Amino acid sequence: MTQGLPDDLFRPGADQRPPKAREERKLPRVPKPSSVKTLPLESRGISPRVLAGLIVLALLVAFAIGRLFFFTPQGPVVTVSPAPSVTEAPPVTATPGEFVAYTGPVMTIPALTAEGTCEEEDTSEGSSALIDADPATIWRCAGSAVGEQLRFTFSGRRPLVGLRVVNGNSAWADRYLAERRIMSLRWEFDDGSFFVQGLAANNRNLQEVRFPPLTATAVTLTVLEVTVPGDDSANSDAVSISAVEFLSPA
């Protein structure tokens, strides 16, 4: 006969536990509630208010830096004007009422003929004596000679810019101061232009005058004003011109 163990000594194995005990053992273990509080998600980073403040601060700093480098002048502003262009100056021309004399180099041109009044029988004192290039011959007229004229012509139309005159009798010895001398002459050109030339009464050299360039085929000289004779002799009451030269651009 088989002997059995008492009930109080029997311990069933793991697989021998009741089904209810096995199911309870498989249930997940729920941790006990902790005493630490769980914070919201935004508390772990930067709050929106702080983030907005940082953005505004960054914009202000960027604006200040940009104003410093782009709006603050680095020095005085210097405006450089363009260099003036070099242009050729227009030629000087005479306007109505304006006298612009020629100032360039000149040369003398001969007159073809010389005619006038107050001709003496001695050909050495006639008007042709003024174009013969002989310093010993002169034009001479007795009396004051005011209003007397001499007309010079050229071989065709010639450019003129000036003329020269030896006033008085410089060919005869001791006659220059004894005779009258011319104070002013009128020169008229065949184009209608004219001018008055004042002369020094005690200058025995060529007295030159310049005028604006013109062209002419003829020039007329008229005596306007003379001095009184230098002495009381009858031979001293006369007016003389010792030389006339016409000037053209060289």
Side-chain angles (χ1 to χ4, degrees), residues 9 17 19 24 67 77 83 90 109 113 177 180-181 212 228:
L9 296 178
R17 287 176 296 174
E24 291 179 357
R67 185 176 180 85
V77 179
I109 59 172
T113 65
L177 295 178
R180 297 174 184 266
R181 275 87 62 197
V228 297

Side-chain angles (χ1 to χ4, degrees), residues 185 224-225:
L185 294 171
L224 296 182
E225 185 181 2

Side-chain angles (χ1 to χ4, degrees), residues 14-194:
D15 53 344
Q16 296 298 321
R17 287 176 296 174
K20 185 176 181 181
R22 289 197 300 267
E23 290 178 2
E24 291 179 357
R25 187 177 182 179
K26 292 180 181 180
L27 291 176
R29 191 172 180 181
V30 178
K32 295 182 180 180
S34 175
S35 60
V36 180
K37 293 184 179 180
T38 302
L39 296 176
L41 181 61
E42 61 272 11
S43 299
R44 300 177 185 177
I46 301 174
S47 67
R49 181 176 299 177
V50 174
L51 180 62
L54 291 176
I55 293 174
V56 172
L57 180 61
L59 291 176
L60 291 176
V61 171
F63 177 77
I65 294 175
R67 185 176 180 85
L68 177 63
F69 286 96
F70 295 102
F71 295 98
T72 302
Q74 302 299 318
V77 179
V78 179
T79 302
V80 180
S81 60
S85 59
V86 179
T87 58
E88 184 179 355
V92 178
T93 57
T95 57
E98 183 180 6
F99 187 87
V100 180
Y102 178 81
T103 58
V106 295
M107 63 180 182
T108 59
I109 59 172
L112 183 63
T113 65
E115 299 176 351
T117 57
C118 207
E119 297 286 348
E120 299 289 342
E121 292 181 1
D122 189 346
T123 56
S124 64
E125 298 177 8
S127 57
S128 61
L130 295 176
I131 61 173
D132 62 4
D134 185 357
T137 61
I138 61 173
W139 173 81
R140 187 171 185 270
C141 184
S144 68
V146 173
E148 298 291 346
Q149 292 185 334
L150 292 169
R151 179 179 173 83
F152 302 88
T153 61
F154 305 97
S155 58
R157 186 163 291 277
R158 305 298 297 272
L160 298 176
V161 294
L163 51 87
R164 298 169 180 151
V165 176
V166 175
N167 177 27
N169 188 347
S170 63
W172 298 359
D174 301 326
R175 299 306 300 170
Y176 184 83
L177 295 178
E179 294 183 2
R180 297 174 184 266
R181 275 87 62 197
I182 300 172
M183 300 293 292
S184 62
L185 294 171
R186 173 188 168 100
W187 295 93
E188 185 173 357
F189 305 91
D190 59 354
D191 64 353
S193 59
F194 68 91

